[in-house]
Structures are given as C-alpha cells and as structure tokens.
C-alpha cells in the first residue's frame, strides 16, 4: 500500500488522472560486466528484486560478452551493446512497443521521495539550508513503478508538455534539493 499512499499524497487530483498501469511502461536496466562478481550480482539482485515486488520483469540491456552471465542469473537480458547504444535501444524498443521508456541504473538500492516544500537555494555555498529543510520531512520509500508513475503523471499534467523526466542518483538528500 505504500505506493498507492505515496501517489495519493504527493500528486494532485489533476495529476492522479495521468497515473498509468505497469503494462504501459518498458523498464530497461542498462548494465554490463557485473554478473560475475559478488558485488555486481548483489546490486543486480537488489534491482531485480525491487521490480519483482511489484510484478515487473525488467529487460536488462547488456554487452554481448555478458549476455549469458546475466541470463544464468534468471534475468530477461538482451544485447544492448555499449552504454549509449544500449540506452538508445531501450528508447527504440519502447517506441516500437508504444510504451513509456524508463531507464534504470544497475546499482540502485532504493527509491526515496522526500516530500518537502520547494526551496530557493540559489547562492548557497553549502548544504546547511537544505539539510535543515530535510529535518522532519516525510520520506516515501517507493517502488520503481511508483517512481515512474509519479514522474509521468507530473509531466503529462503539465501544460508545457515535458518529454524527459528523471531523478538525481545520489544518497545525499541535501544534494537532491
């Protein structure tokens, strides 16, 4: 129920009209040469597990030399090539399938949304103001599906019609502000 509560609490009524089901997304994890090391396998299983919890089997876009190693782990893997060609392939596959493209890193350990007021941090040369704003801020630990649904709903509800959404990939919450 955490995802449902997050979307209810953090999206306006207008934005909630744009929430799409999981089947409307293509989740592509761009990775390579990580399936044979202990730390790489750990990261891979964490990412795969976060998707599995919400009934999603992402596609792993990997280099040709690693394909069989990823498949041995039970992953839905295909050759994507190097980083940029793999990212482009995820975009192309989503377009062909008429789905929303969601590209995910292979080392994400969690998705966290900090529900705090917008801040003007221009001119700040340290993180004191951002850290203070985070004190007592409600955090939502969400699934990758809820993160994608949230970003897409925000974009589609915006009259400016943004086409690209994303997150800052860091564990430092003050930097995300």
């Amino acid at each position: 129920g955490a995802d449902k509560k997050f979307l209810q609490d953090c999206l306006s009524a207008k934005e909630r009209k744009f929430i799409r089901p999981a089947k409307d997304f293509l989740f592509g994890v761009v990775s390579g040469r990580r399936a044979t090391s202990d730390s790489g396998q750990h990261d891979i299983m964490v990412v795969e597990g976060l998707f599995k919890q919400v009934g999603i089997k992402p596609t792993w876009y990997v280099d040709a030399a690693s394909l069989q190693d990823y498949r041995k782990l039970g992953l839905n893997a295909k050759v994507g090539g190097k980083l940029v060609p793999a990212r482009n392939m995820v975009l192309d596959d989503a377009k062909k399938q008429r789905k929303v493209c969601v590209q995910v890193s292979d080392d994400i350990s969690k998705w966290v949304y900090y529900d705090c007021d917008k801040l003007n941090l221009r001119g700040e040369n340290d993180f004191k103001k951002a850290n203070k704003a985070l004190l007592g801020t409600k955090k939502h630990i969400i699934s990758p599906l809820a993160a994608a649904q949230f970003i897409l709903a925000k974009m589609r509800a915006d009259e400016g019609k943004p086409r690209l959404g994303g997150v800052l990939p860091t564990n430092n919450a003050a930097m995300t502000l």
Side-chain angles (χ1 to χ4, degrees):
D3 284 353
K4 186 176 180 179
K5 180 167 177 33
F6 161 69
L7 294 170
Q8 179 68 35
D9 290 353
C10 297
L11 291 173
S12 68
K14 176 184 175 184
E15 292 165 339
R16 285 193 299 275
K17 292 177 184 173
F18 293 96
I19 295 174
R20 304 303 313 146
K23 68 177 182 54
D24 288 356
F25 296 90
L26 182 142
F27 290 94
V29 184
V30 177
S31 188
R33 303 184 188 271
R34 302 206 57 203
T36 55
S37 72
D38 288 343
S39 64
Q41 287 178 3
H42 174 268
D43 290 347
I44 288 167
M45 291 297 104
V46 168
V47 172
E48 184 77 8
L50 290 166
F51 280 106
K52 186 175 182 178
Q53 287 179 342
V54 289
I56 294 169
K57 186 112 175 118
T59 301
W60 291 73
Y61 292 76
V62 303
D63 58 289
S66 300
L67 181 63
Q68 292 310 315
D69 294 327
Y70 280 77
R71 287 186 173 165
K72 283 179 191 173
L73 295 175
L75 304 173
N76 177 24
K78 68 186 282 184
V79 174
K82 293 188 178 209
L83 182 63
V84 173
R87 291 198 182 285
N88 288 336
M89 185 181 285
V90 182
L91 285 167
D92 292 341
D93 286 354
K95 184 177 180 179
K96 286 176 199 165
Q97 296 175 36
R98 300 183 55 81
K99 294 186 176 195
V100 175
C101 179
V102 180
Q103 295 187 24
V104 176
S105 178
D106 61 1
D107 63 354
I108 293 177
S109 59
K110 62 185 172 184
W111 278 261
V112 182
Y113 180 82
Y114 293 88
D115 192 6
C116 60
D117 295 330
K118 287 186 178 183
L119 298 173
N120 181 352
L121 298 173
R122 288 188 180 98
E124 298 292 322
N125 57 9
D126 59 33
F127 294 109
K128 289 178 185 171
K129 186 175 178 181
N131 282 324
K132 186 175 180 184
L134 287 166
L135 292 175
T137 294
K138 183 170 174 82
K139 290 190 289 188
H140 295 268
I141 309 299
I142 59 175
S143 74
L145 173 60
Q149 289 171 319
F150 176 83
I151 292 170
L152 183 65
K154 285 281 192 186
M155 290 192 311
R156 291 201 169 157
D158 187 321
E159 301 303 323
K161 304 292 184 230
R163 301 280 183 193
L164 178 65
V167 297
L168 186 64
T170 178
N171 283 329
N172 186 331
M175 289 183 74
T176 67
L177 299 181

